[in-house]
Amino acid sequence: SQSMTKTSRVGLLLILGLLLSSVALAQFVVRDIRVEGLQRISAGTVFNYLPITVGSTIGEEDYPEIIRALFRTGFFTDVSLERDGDVLVIAVAERPAISEIEIEGNQDISTEDLRTALAEIGLREGEVFSRALLDRMEQELLQQYFSRGKYAVQVDSDVQPLPRNRVAISLSISEGVAARIRQINIVGNEDFDDDDLLDEFQLSTTGWFTLFTRGDQYSRQKLEADIEAMRSFYLDRGYLQFNVDSTQVSITPDKQDIYITINITEGEPYTVRSVELAGEAPVPLEELRPLVTVESGEVFSRSEVVEITQAIADRLGDEGYAFANVNVVPQVDEAARAVDLNMVIDPGQRVYVRRINFAGNIKTQDEVLRREMRQTEGAWFSTQDVERSQERLERLKFLQEVSVETPAVAGTTDQVDVNVNVVERPSNNLILGLGFGQEAGLLLNTSVNMTNFMGSGRELGLAFNNSKTNTNYSLSYNNPYFTLDGISRGFELSFEEIDAEEANQADYVTDNTTAIINFGFPVTEFDTIRLGGGYRRVAVDTTDNTPEEILDELDENGDEYDNFPLELSFSRDSRNRAIFPDRGALNRVAAEVTVPGSTAEYYKLSFRHQSYYPLQDWLTLSLRGDVGYGDGYSGDGLPFFENFFAGGLTTVRGYKANTLGPRYASSGDPSGGSFRLISGVELVFPFPLLRNSEAFRLAAFVDAGNVFDQSSDFDFNDIRVTSGIAARWLSPLGPLAISVAAPLNEKDDDETEAVQFSFGIPF
């Protein structure tokens, strides 16, 4: 038995020795690494991902980790390892690269937006292709369309292999029809009916107006915005405990109709019991208290509280505290349904402006923009001055867009920069064009218009205009900063031939030669006085059809008038923009008088008013008024060619141009008068399909007015009133205006015109 035991021990030792020798044979020191099968990927890229390097000792038990490391890169579809002596051989099969992505069939979402969405999930040209990525792509596109209410969308993909291990992906999209909202149910409202709440919604059920607004097309983002609008509706009426309990959106099996149900809890309205100001205000609290417009006993309104805090922050901003915060700490008494508001003022640190930087002004000199700035470098930051500076820049004719940012200066706590970015309008243009208007007829327009001459902000114009009513040659110049303190100087030389008959007046022609120089004197930020004078020569040609009243006047005064007019005006202009303003007002009082010794000694007085009130961010109320009066001061009245006229696109729409008011007894032609009264109301809004366009506006209007022979002849019953719809478009080829109007109190002899339009003629 002892000999058997020795034999067994020897056998075990032999088996253990063989195992150890086999392990030693499987392990080896890697003297080199060779990668086979690469096409696009470099060997160096593979080496970067390997968990081993040349000189490492490895065995077959290390192979799985090496293979897993290479698979994790996503570059390969197959990886295998072999040993060739002391060389580790890695054989790979690369995944193909995406050479191109073609998208077709998309209309509701642009190709650029779809490519951006696909890039976010890693599907872009040049990336490695995988089937899993293609599935994610299809799901991403479906989600993009589902968010727009298109639940019937279908996305088909096709992958075509290309040479050099590449693929081309084609996406075919069938968008289908967007699901329409058939019903919106609000459950739980007791104090307000559904109509009041749904008026706050962008979404709506299908109706005739939704053909333009698309409000009946479901969108998850719009629904979330509508729910927030409803929340604001309740919070602005004191319902502090308002809550949206749940929202259900269901779609019919054919994916065409959507039903929305919103469950809410209204709660009870709360009133404001007290309002206290606290904190370290840098200005006396007595100056801030008038900004607190809410009083004890009023119903709580979140929007009013926000307006108060913003007003206080703006007031502090005027003192240089650009980052002031007003934190509202409400204390709610549920038993009394009252809330105490504690407004804690945190002014932060006072800051000043380090630099004012301009960008985007390719042609315009920095100095031209800088002189419009009311915020200055080195001064304390002022919210009011920055806002006014932006308004002044927006009023420049050669700037299309102005944006202002006030970032903090890195590394400081008391400095900001004012960065002004502008987009310039085309300037210094040669214009050869045609226009048309029912009043002027075909208009040939040839002009060199330099609204920003050599980037200096000066205006220089040379024009030739020809239409059926007049022929005009003019040279004009204006320097808005003739002096450093803003006094302007300009002049105009012009010759104009007017065919009065073509302008719906009497049958005569005038040749007018004018030379005028004028100055503008800024009185305040908004007020300007203008003074001008010059020479105007009027030569009158008559025909056999000229009214006898005109012939009699010419017999008395002659057919050539040499007049020397002086003009004086005062204007207050607080409009935020010169074109399509939405807030502010323009008031202008003007007087024109010819100096003694002129052929016709007369004076003309006028008052013009325009005001704009933003009702919503997209809706503006516009009011206008125009009063004119004139007379002679040496016994004669106004010359017939200086009379006021009314009717047409610029006065009372719906009536033929210049046809309102008195007429000559001998011919029945419109004669105009010495007294004119015009007024109008407009609701201005963007076209629904061009909501963000800055060049197109629609307006619902009411016009009223007339002309009277003398102011003593004024009779309110003679005022003509019209209503209608108007459109204005700043097209690339020139301004276009059109109106459709209906007179509300026309009389038998009135000349009406329902549709009126002009093209190429300034508004």
Side-chain angles (χ1 to χ4, degrees):
S1 64
Q2 290 181 353
S3 62
M4 290 292 294
T5 301
K6 291 180 179 180
T7 301
S8 298
R9 290 176 178 174
V10 172
L12 290 172
L13 291 174
L14 289 174
I15 293 172
L16 181 60
L18 290 173
L19 291 173
L20 292 175
S21 63
S22 65
V23 171
L25 289 174
Q27 289 185 336
F28 70 100
V29 177
V30 179
R31 300 302 181 186
D32 193 12
I33 301 174
R34 187 169 70 247
V35 184
E36 298 178 348
L38 295 177
Q39 299 184 51
R40 296 176 299 99
I41 301 172
S42 66
T45 300
V46 177
F47 295 154
N48 289 335
Y49 288 100
L50 286 175
I52 64 167
T53 60
V54 173
S56 299
T57 300
I58 65 171
E60 292 184 358
E61 68 275 9
D62 299 312
Y63 286 6
E65 178 57 30
I66 296 173
I67 292 173
R68 281 194 295 269
L70 293 179
F71 268 120
R72 280 196 295 266
T73 65
F75 297 153
F76 310 109
T77 59
D78 187 34
V79 179
S80 61
L81 303 180
E82 296 179 358
R83 176 183 175 184
D84 183 8
D86 292 337
V87 178
L88 177 64
V89 180
I90 304 175
V92 298
E94 290 184 4
R95 293 185 185 276
I98 301 173
S99 176
E100 59 185 62
I101 301 174
E102 294 293 334
I103 304 175
E104 61 179 14
N106 56 304
Q107 295 181 352
D108 191 57
I109 306 178
S110 68
T111 300
E112 181 181 355
D113 291 342
L114 290 178
R115 288 185 180 275
T116 301
L118 296 179
E120 291 177 355
I121 63 172
L123 190 69
R124 61 169 67 90
E125 294 175 355
E127 295 290 338
V128 175
F129 170 75
S130 70
R131 289 289 174 181
L133 197 60
L134 189 62
D135 293 338
R136 287 185 59 195
M137 174 272 298
E138 292 180 354
Q139 292 301 316
E140 175 64 24
L141 291 183
L142 291 176
Q143 289 302 319
Q144 290 286 326
Y145 279 97
F146 287 171
S147 67
R148 287 165 169 78
K150 292 197 170 184
Y151 293 96
V153 63
Q154 293 183 351
V155 178
D156 296 321
S157 59
D158 181 52
V159 181
Q160 295 291 333
L162 298 175
R164 300 192 303 277
N165 196 32
R166 298 174 303 146
V167 294
I169 301 176
S170 298
L171 302 176
S172 179
I173 301 173
S174 176
E175 294 182 337
V177 179
R180 305 288 178 176
I181 299 174
R182 295 304 176 191
Q183 193 171 21
I184 303 177
N185 296 317
I186 301 177
V187 180
N189 53 312
E190 297 179 357
D191 293 349
F192 301 96
D193 58 32
D194 288 1
D195 291 339
D196 292 333
L197 300 179
L198 293 177
D199 284 343
E200 306 295 317
F201 280 36
Q202 299 180 57
L203 297 177
S204 64
T205 55
T206 302
W208 70 271
F209 199 61
T210 57
L211 293 174
F212 303 99
T213 64
R214 298 185 179 182
D216 61 342
Q217 295 185 10
Y218 172 75
S219 165
R220 183 176 65 250
Q221 292 86 348
K222 285 184 179 180
L223 179 58
E224 292 173 353
D226 288 345
I227 291 175
E228 184 57 34
M230 182 169 58
R231 188 186 310 278
S232 297
F233 176 88
Y234 274 97
L235 289 177
D236 288 345
R237 288 156 179 80
Y239 291 79
L240 292 179
Q241 306 301 329
F242 170 81
N243 185 57
V244 177
D245 301 324
S246 64
T247 304
Q248 295 90 35
V249 179
S250 58
I251 186 170
T252 56
D254 60 2
K255 298 181 179 180
Q256 297 297 311
D257 299 330
I258 286 180
Y259 294 83
I260 301 174
T261 302
I262 305 172
N263 296 280
I264 65 174
T265 299
E266 288 183 327
E268 298 291 338
Y270 283 66
T271 58
V272 176
R273 186 162 54 192
S274 64
V275 182
E276 297 294 335
L277 293 178
E280 298 181 0
V283 298
L285 292 180
E286 289 72 18
E287 293 187 22
L288 300 180
R289 292 192 191 280
L291 301 177
V292 181
T293 56
V294 63
E295 297 180 359
S296 177
E298 289 187 7
V299 175
F300 173 84
S301 171
R302 182 176 68 173
S303 62
E304 186 175 9
V305 172
V306 172
E307 290 176 1
I308 293 171
T309 58
Q310 185 61 50
I312 294 175
D314 289 344
R315 176 65 184 87
L316 298 179
D318 292 339
E319 299 295 329
Y321 297 89
F323 307 114
N325 288 318
V326 181
N327 300 312
V328 180
V329 182
Q331 295 180 347
V332 180
D333 186 341
E334 296 185 2
R337 292 205 297 272
V339 58
D340 298 315
L341 299 177
N342 189 21
M343 298 184 177
V344 182
I345 300 172
D346 178 15
Q349 192 165 356
R350 197 176 192 186
V351 299
Y352 63 91
V353 175
R354 183 185 65 166
R355 294 193 186 96
I356 298 176
N357 305 308
F358 296 96
N361 52 317
I362 300 173
K363 299 178 182 178
T364 309
Q365 302 169 14
D366 267 21
E367 177 189 355
V368 175
L369 304 180
R370 195 172 297 276
R371 68 193 183 191
E372 302 296 334
M373 299 295 293
R374 292 303 175 256
Q375 174 69 63
T376 57
E377 293 180 344
W380 296 119
F381 175 88
S382 170
T383 302
Q384 183 176 359
D385 288 346
V386 171
E387 291 177 352
R388 180 56 184 162
S389 299
Q390 181 173 354
E391 286 184 357
R392 290 184 63 89
L393 290 171
E394 288 176 339
R395 289 172 53 81
L396 296 177
K397 297 179 181 179
F398 46 85
L399 294 185
Q400 178 177 336
E401 184 178 337
V402 180
S403 60
V404 179
E405 297 177 346
T406 56
V409 176
T412 69
T413 59
D414 62 348
Q415 297 181 47
V416 297
D417 286 336
V418 176
N419 297 331
V420 182
N421 295 283
V422 302
V423 177
E424 296 176 320
R425 295 184 189 273
S427 60
N428 304 343
N429 292 333
L430 170 64
I431 300 176
L432 300 173
L434 293 175
F436 186 83
Q438 286 168 305
E439 301 173 13
L442 184 65
L443 172 67
L444 173 63
N445 180 15
T446 304
S447 65
V448 179
N449 187 23
M450 304 180 187
T451 58
N452 188 15
F453 180 61
M454 298 183 67
S456 66
R458 301 176 184 179
E459 299 179 44
L460 179 64
L462 176 63
F464 163 68
N465 299 317
N466 185 28
S467 69
K468 72 177 184 179
T469 59
N470 69 337
T471 300
N472 176 271
Y473 304 86
S474 68
L475 171 66
S476 61
Y477 171 84
N478 184 59
N479 182 358
Y481 279 84
F482 174 62
T483 64
L484 293 178
D485 52 0
I487 295 177
S488 66
R489 183 184 68 174
F491 69 82
E492 179 182 357
L493 301 175
S494 67
F495 172 79
E496 184 176 31
E497 181 183 276
I498 300 175
D499 188 337
E501 183 183 24
E502 293 293 344
N504 302 323
Q505 299 175 23
D507 191 357
Y508 66 91
V509 176
T510 61
D511 293 335
N512 303 327
T513 303
T514 303
I516 296 290
I517 187 170
N518 58 75
F519 295 87
F521 303 90
V523 180
T524 68
E525 184 66 22
F526 302 101
D527 301 336
T528 303
I529 293 176
R530 297 192 179 277
L531 176 64
Y535 168 74
R536 181 178 299 122
R537 183 177 187 274
V538 180
V540 182
D541 292 329
T542 61
T543 70
D544 294 338
N545 297 320
T546 302
E548 294 179 4
E549 292 87 343
I550 293 179
L551 295 176
D552 292 342
E553 185 172 338
L554 295 178
D555 288 340
E556 181 179 352
N557 300 311
D559 57 5
E560 294 184 358
Y561 291 75
D562 293 304
N563 296 329
F564 299 89
L566 295 178
E567 300 175 354
L568 177 65
S569 69
F570 172 82
S571 63
R572 180 175 180 83
D573 191 353
S574 61
R575 296 174 298 173
N576 62 327
R577 289 190 294 268
I579 300 175
F580 297 147
D582 56 19
R583 67 178 183 275
L586 168 65
N587 291 285
R588 183 176 183 270
V589 179
E592 177 185 335
V593 59
T594 57
V595 300
S598 299
T599 304
E601 297 178 346
Y602 66 90
Y603 64 90
K604 297 177 73 173
L605 306 175
S606 64
F607 171 72
R608 180 187 177 194
H609 169 80
Q610 291 179 318
S611 56
Y612 303 88
Y613 306 92
L615 304 181
Q616 299 287 339
D617 58 353
W618 56 273
L619 183 64
T620 301
L621 172 65
S622 171
L623 305 177
R624 68 183 178 100
D626 190 332
V627 181
Y629 175 74
D631 199 359
Y633 62 82
S634 60
D636 297 326
L638 276 179
F640 64 91
F641 50 81
E642 290 289 348
N643 277 344
F644 295 99
F645 289 85
L649 271 175
T650 59
T651 52
V652 183
R653 288 162 285 192
Y655 286 95
K656 204 169 183 179
N658 302 324
T659 61
L660 287 176
R663 294 176 178 267
Y664 290 110
S666 61
S667 65
D669 296 325
S671 64
S674 64
F675 178 67
R676 181 175 68 180
L677 179 63
I678 302 294
S679 64
V681 180
E682 287 189 338
L683 284 174
V684 184
F685 52 93
F687 188 64
L689 298 181
L690 300 171
R691 184 82 178 260
N692 297 322
S693 173
E694 295 296 330
F696 195 96
R697 290 292 186 276
L698 292 175
F701 66 85
V702 174
D703 287 345
N706 209 333
V707 175
F708 304 89
D709 190 27
Q710 298 291 334
S711 59
S712 58
D713 297 327
F714 174 78
D715 186 345
F716 186 79
N717 294 324
D718 288 334
I719 294 294
R720 301 295 192 269
V721 182
T722 65
S723 65
I725 297 291
R728 301 183 184 95
W729 179 32
L730 287 174
S731 76
L733 300 179
L736 183 149
I738 184 171
S739 72
V740 180
L744 301 182
N745 60 344
E746 64 177 300
K747 296 189 178 181
D748 293 340
D749 294 335
D750 291 341
E751 299 182 44
T752 62
E753 200 168 52
V755 180
Q756 297 174 317
F757 63 92
S758 68
F759 175 69
I761 302 174
F763 297 146

